[in-house]
Amino acid sequence: MASRYLIAASIALVVVSLSFAVAYGALGTAVPLENIRSLARAYVTLAYAPWNRTLTAMSPEAVTSIVWDFRGVDTFFETTVLFGAIIGTVTLFRGIKPSARIGEGLSIIARSAAAVTAPMILAVAAAIALHGHLTPGGGFQGGATAAVVALVILVTFSLGYLVSGLSKERALMLRSAGLLGIAAVALIPLILGGVVFQNQAKELSQFSYPAYIGGALTSGSLLFYNLFESLAVAAGLTLTIMLLLSPHEVVEEAVRGEEHERV
Amino acid sequence: MIEPVNVALGLAALSAVLSVIATYLAVSDRDLLRALIFSALQSTAYAIIFLVLMAPDIVLVYVPVAVGIYPAVVLALIKRVGRFEGGEGGE
Amino acid sequence: MVTPETLVAASVIVYIVALTLYTVRVVKGPTIPDRILAVDALTYDLAALIAVIGLLLRSPLLVPSAIVLSLWVYALDLYVAKYLEGRELGD
Amino acid sequence: MSEFEASLSLIVLFSLFANTAIALYGVFSKPNLVKKLISMTILSDTANAFAIVIGYRAWPSPEESPVPPVLTNISGGYAAVQELVQKSVDPFPQALVLTAVVIGLAVTIFLASIILHYHRTHGTVEMVVSG
Amino acid sequence: MVIDPYLIGRFVGAAIVLVGAFYDLTGSIGMLRFPNFFTRLHAATVGAIGGSVLPMLGVSIYAASEPALGEYRWFMAGASAIAALIILIVAPAGTHVLARAAYRSGTAPKEPCTYDAGEEGDER
């Protein structure tokens, strides 16, 4: 039994030293700082600066302007990682259709409450996504909120009810439409003589998305990025959850059929 | 006199202590359903920490993910593999 | 001199006491529905506390988090209820 | 920044430290794959919380809190932006954590489906090896 | 003496918040002291409706009558009013679903019990 104690002691040592390295040794006790760093100062200063049109993002919200303007290419590759994970899940469940059988769902009281609240929640999600350049929010937030709406409908009514409105192919199509929209918004400046992921006019290229539409501040491309990203995130997460919750027998049958073909 | 700084940082410290309790119970409990509930409690405490540290963007994305979607995924998993750690497989 | 700010700060203290009592029920609660109910009530209170904290810190931008937080605990209720009835989550 | 406030922020820091240790223990020593998944989610949340703590700043005065990095006074001109810079927190860690949370969820769903397939082929999710 | 209408609005809002906080304390004490799950449902209702909807409406009134918050005070007032409305719809529905599941599956013990209407075959 000595080896068991040795293993326990070594696990404890690794845990303590690793968490020390991650937490305390890397940060120290110097947080919080008195002032923010100069990089953050530059970002906050330049996020909304109509008097400096060649460097600004024309959005009062610094986080969204970092995500989609100052560091747009970072976010693009993070979106790629996200859809890599979603494609992996879809591949693991290949050949499986979510069942279209409409179950009984929850009680009538829960159904009525869900029927009243679901449009309200969708409106909240749309507001979070489309006001992302003015108030806290954005494409990722709105997309995650809309995905939970689909999940509430799935649990309250049934999986078949959701599938009858949003089939697997339609969710895939929406997700691809969101991705194509992001790509189009990123590439249109390149066609018209600008650079990739350009928002406002720079010194090298005069192309610029409109910062005001009809007198309202829309922050150029940020509005379109938020719209398409929320569409893509909502459709992708709903798709993977629909596949994950598909009934046991359906998955079992699909997997068994595959083995028969191989033999 | 109650200063706002003490109220805000005190709330952050209180939810940090709450998150330690919830994390310990979530990791040590043998019932996976109870571990999931304690994990949701820990997520709520973290949401309060994010809020007091002035990150409303993170709260708006973290709460749907950690309280709304993640319990559904783990519950679907528990439904298949059995509720108790170390027991026989479910179904 | 009683100002509205002191009334709000006092109500934050009352809320923190109530949160502690709810937490005791979450940790103690003998059955699963007890714990879920306590998490539920705790989170609705946290949603109200978010609005009150936004008032105390004078940051109007913190308040939309309350909507999101109160909504997704309802989703947690639905999942656990369906699990307790012993049915598939998508049935 | 007074002594009391510094001790409160140290409580937050050390609580996150303890959470890291507990979650790492869960990932390393629990044999159940679902328990490992739960612990791993707590670990990644804690790492995100550390990033947010790095971006925080001390209070300008006891009555006046830091504000989120969002300009609320759009018509105020350059003076309003300078006032925001004096009071706002660091937006950069928030922008990083924002995408990390959503990616973490997608990876969690992927791991959950892998665990489901493991259970389908092996009939168990316990990682205990005898002998 | 000139009475500031904004100050009255702020006092009304803060008073409603304080009343809601005491509702919440009552609900939490009930949650701790009541003997079984089905009685704790009552305490949860007091905590959710009295302790959460009421303070949100108070915050809404307070924020609408506080000019120091700037133009975004209407954003704050509207958001907290919407949150109050949503909790008003969602909290009873969630509690109902949970109570129904607990009763049907028999997870929560019913002792001490004086009257059980569900035993007479009321399947709704």
Side-chain angles (χ1 to χ4, degrees):
Chain A
M1 279 295 107
S3 65
R4 171 166 289 184
Y5 291 122
L6 195 64
I7 290 170
S10 58
I11 285 178
L13 192 64
V14 168
V15 163
V16 169
S17 56
L18 202 54
S19 52
F20 181 82
V22 168
Y24 188 65
L27 280 183
T29 55
V31 290
L33 301 175
E34 288 290 327
N35 282 308
I36 52 175
R37 297 157 184 82
S38 47
L39 179 66
R41 186 182 297 264
Y43 281 147
V44 176
T45 313
L46 288 176
Y48 181 78
W51 44 85
N52 192 354
R53 288 302 284 266
T54 58
L55 289 178
T56 180
M58 287 300 288
S59 163
E61 222 234 349
V63 177
T64 306
S65 52
I66 289 176
V67 165
W68 285 119
D69 189 340
F70 298 136
R71 297 226 159 217
V73 186
D74 275 8
T75 310
F76 179 73
F77 286 108
E78 276 160 357
T79 308
T80 313
V81 174
L82 170 67
F83 292 111
I86 288 175
I87 285 172
T89 311
V90 174
T91 314
L92 276 180
F93 285 95
R94 64 196 176 281
I96 294 171
K97 273 199 175 323
S99 75
R101 191 178 59 83
I102 296 182
E104 62 175 315
L106 288 172
S107 67
I108 183 77
I109 299 175
R111 283 167 180 245
S112 310
V116 171
T117 46
M120 287 169 66
I121 306 171
L122 269 181
V124 168
I128 288 175
L130 296 182
H131 286 177
H133 56 284
L134 293 177
T135 55
F140 289 100
Q141 291 96 328
T145 308
V148 192
V149 178
L151 200 48
V152 166
I153 290 175
L154 192 155
V155 173
T156 312
F157 296 92
S158 66
L159 182 59
Y161 186 86
L162 183 65
V163 169
S164 68
L166 183 76
S167 62
K168 184 181 170 186
E169 287 76 23
R170 198 170 291 174
L172 267 173
M173 200 185 72
L174 277 179
R175 193 197 68 132
S176 312
L179 282 185
L180 279 178
I182 293 173
V185 176
L187 289 181
I188 280 175
L190 193 63
I191 299 169
L192 297 180
V195 292
V196 179
F197 270 94
Q198 183 177 359
N199 183 5
Q200 297 297 313
K202 299 282 176 281
E203 282 189 4
L204 291 173
S205 60
Q206 290 305 309
F207 177 80
S208 167
Y209 279 101
Y212 296 90
I213 294 178
L217 182 65
T218 59
S219 306
S221 61
L222 300 189
L223 179 68
F224 305 111
Y225 282 131
N226 279 335
L227 176 64
F228 290 122
E229 179 72 36
S230 66
L231 199 64
V233 168
L237 291 182
T238 308
L239 174 64
T240 51
I241 288 169
M242 263 163 37
L243 288 175
L244 193 68
L245 294 185
S246 53
H248 189 58
E249 305 85 42
V250 180
V251 179
E252 200 62 41
E253 194 174 334
V255 172
R256 199 174 295 136
E258 199 172 84
E259 283 171 355
H260 278 299
E261 280 172 18
R262 212 185 304 135
V263 171
Chain B
M1 185 58 206
I2 309 164
E3 300 276 353
V5 54
N6 293 336
V7 173
L9 290 181
L11 190 63
L14 203 70
S15 22
V17 173
L18 174 64
S19 77
V20 173
I21 296 171
T23 307
Y24 172 72
L25 288 171
V27 170
S28 68
D29 209 324
R30 298 190 72 81
D31 185 350
L32 290 173
L33 186 56
R34 267 189 299 194
L36 180 64
I37 294 169
F38 289 131
S39 164
L41 187 64
Q42 171 260 339
S43 303
T44 316
Y46 271 24
I48 295 302
I49 293 177
F50 289 154
L51 190 96
V52 175
L53 298 189
M54 290 292 157
D57 281 286
I58 309 302
V59 180
L60 282 178
V61 73
Y62 180 76
V63 169
V65 164
V67 184
I69 300 179
Y70 168 71
V73 172
V74 179
L75 260 181
L77 209 54
I78 290 174
K79 177 81 183 155
R80 294 267 190 281
V81 306
R83 183 173 151 183
F84 290 97
E85 206 180 330
E88 296 297 312
E91 299 208 24
Chain C
M1 181 61 196
V2 178
T3 59
E5 284 82 8
T6 51
L7 288 183
V8 171
S11 64
V12 171
I13 306 296
V14 179
Y15 267 113
I16 288 178
V17 174
L19 285 183
T20 319
L21 294 183
Y22 280 131
T23 311
V24 171
R25 178 49 74 193
V26 176
V27 176
K28 236 175 80 175
T31 62
I32 294 290
D34 281 321
R35 292 172 203 264
I36 287 288
L37 192 67
V39 168
D40 208 358
L42 188 148
T43 314
Y44 290 134
D45 295 341
L46 279 182
L49 188 57
I50 283 174
V52 175
I53 283 285
L55 208 56
L56 197 69
L57 302 188
R58 295 179 178 279
S59 326
L61 296 170
L62 298 184
V63 177
S65 317
I67 301 176
V68 180
L69 195 59
S70 56
L71 277 176
W72 305 140
V73 163
Y74 166 64
L76 185 68
D77 278 359
L78 293 184
Y79 308 147
V80 176
K82 211 144 187 185
Y83 181 86
L84 285 180
E85 287 191 9
R87 295 155 62 190
E88 291 277 336
L89 217 53
D91 187 15
Chain D
M1 191 161 185
S2 75
E3 198 74 16
F4 185 58
E5 296 155 28
S7 63
L8 284 180
S9 49
L10 273 187
I11 287 177
V12 176
L13 204 59
F14 278 98
S15 304
L16 295 180
F17 172 60
N19 274 350
T20 314
I22 296 170
L24 273 175
Y25 166 76
V27 171
F28 281 150
S29 75
K30 291 287 175 179
N32 193 305
L33 279 179
V34 181
K35 184 54 80 65
K36 276 184 201 285
L37 184 66
I38 291 175
S39 306
M40 209 196 72
T41 316
I42 294 176
L43 183 62
S44 68
D45 287 351
T46 313
N48 290 338
F50 271 120
I52 298 297
V53 169
I54 289 174
Y56 194 56
R57 69 181 295 168
W59 282 48
S61 74
E63 291 84 23
E64 201 179 12
S65 81
V67 296
V70 179
L71 182 65
T72 51
N73 185 8
I74 297 178
S75 56
Y78 188 70
V81 174
Q82 284 305 309
E83 192 189 345
L84 177 70
V85 170
Q86 294 306 317
K87 285 163 69 177
S88 103
V89 299
D90 195 343
F92 188 48
Q94 300 191 15
L96 294 181
V97 168
L98 183 64
T99 49
V101 170
V102 179
I103 292 171
L105 174 70
V107 172
T108 301
I109 294 177
F110 180 58
L111 287 178
S113 39
I114 287 181
I115 293 174
L116 268 185
H117 280 271
Y118 185 89
H119 180 259
R120 194 164 289 133
T121 46
H122 293 263
T124 178
V125 288
E126 300 287 324
M127 293 259 87
V128 175
V129 181
S130 60
Chain E
M1 179 182 170
V2 180
I3 298 175
D4 186 8
Y6 284 129
L7 189 64
I8 293 177
R10 268 179 285 170
F11 263 113
V12 169
I16 292 177
V17 170
L18 200 58
V19 169
F22 277 104
Y23 266 115
D24 195 32
L25 190 62
T26 317
S28 68
I29 292 173
M31 182 70 93
L32 199 61
R33 298 275 304 170
F34 281 171
N36 65 4
F37 171 71
F38 295 98
T39 48
R40 280 180 203 132
L41 284 171
H42 301 23
T45 307
V46 171
I49 302 297
S52 179
V53 174
L54 207 57
M56 291 257 186
L57 293 177
V59 167
S60 181
I61 294 172
Y62 190 115
S65 56
E66 170 75 299
L69 288 175
E71 280 184 18
Y72 272 62
R73 71 176 191 271
W74 300 113
F75 178 74
M76 184 172 184
S80 49
I82 289 174
L85 181 64
I86 285 180
I87 293 180
L88 196 62
I89 296 173
V90 148
T95 318
H96 155 76
V97 170
L98 199 61
R100 191 168 183 265
Y103 182 81
R104 285 191 158 191
S105 67
T107 335
K110 275 177 263 183
E111 311 301 326
C113 172
T114 54
Y115 174 62
D116 188 357
E119 280 179 353
E120 296 167 7
D122 189 9
E123 282 290 321
R124 270 198 298 267

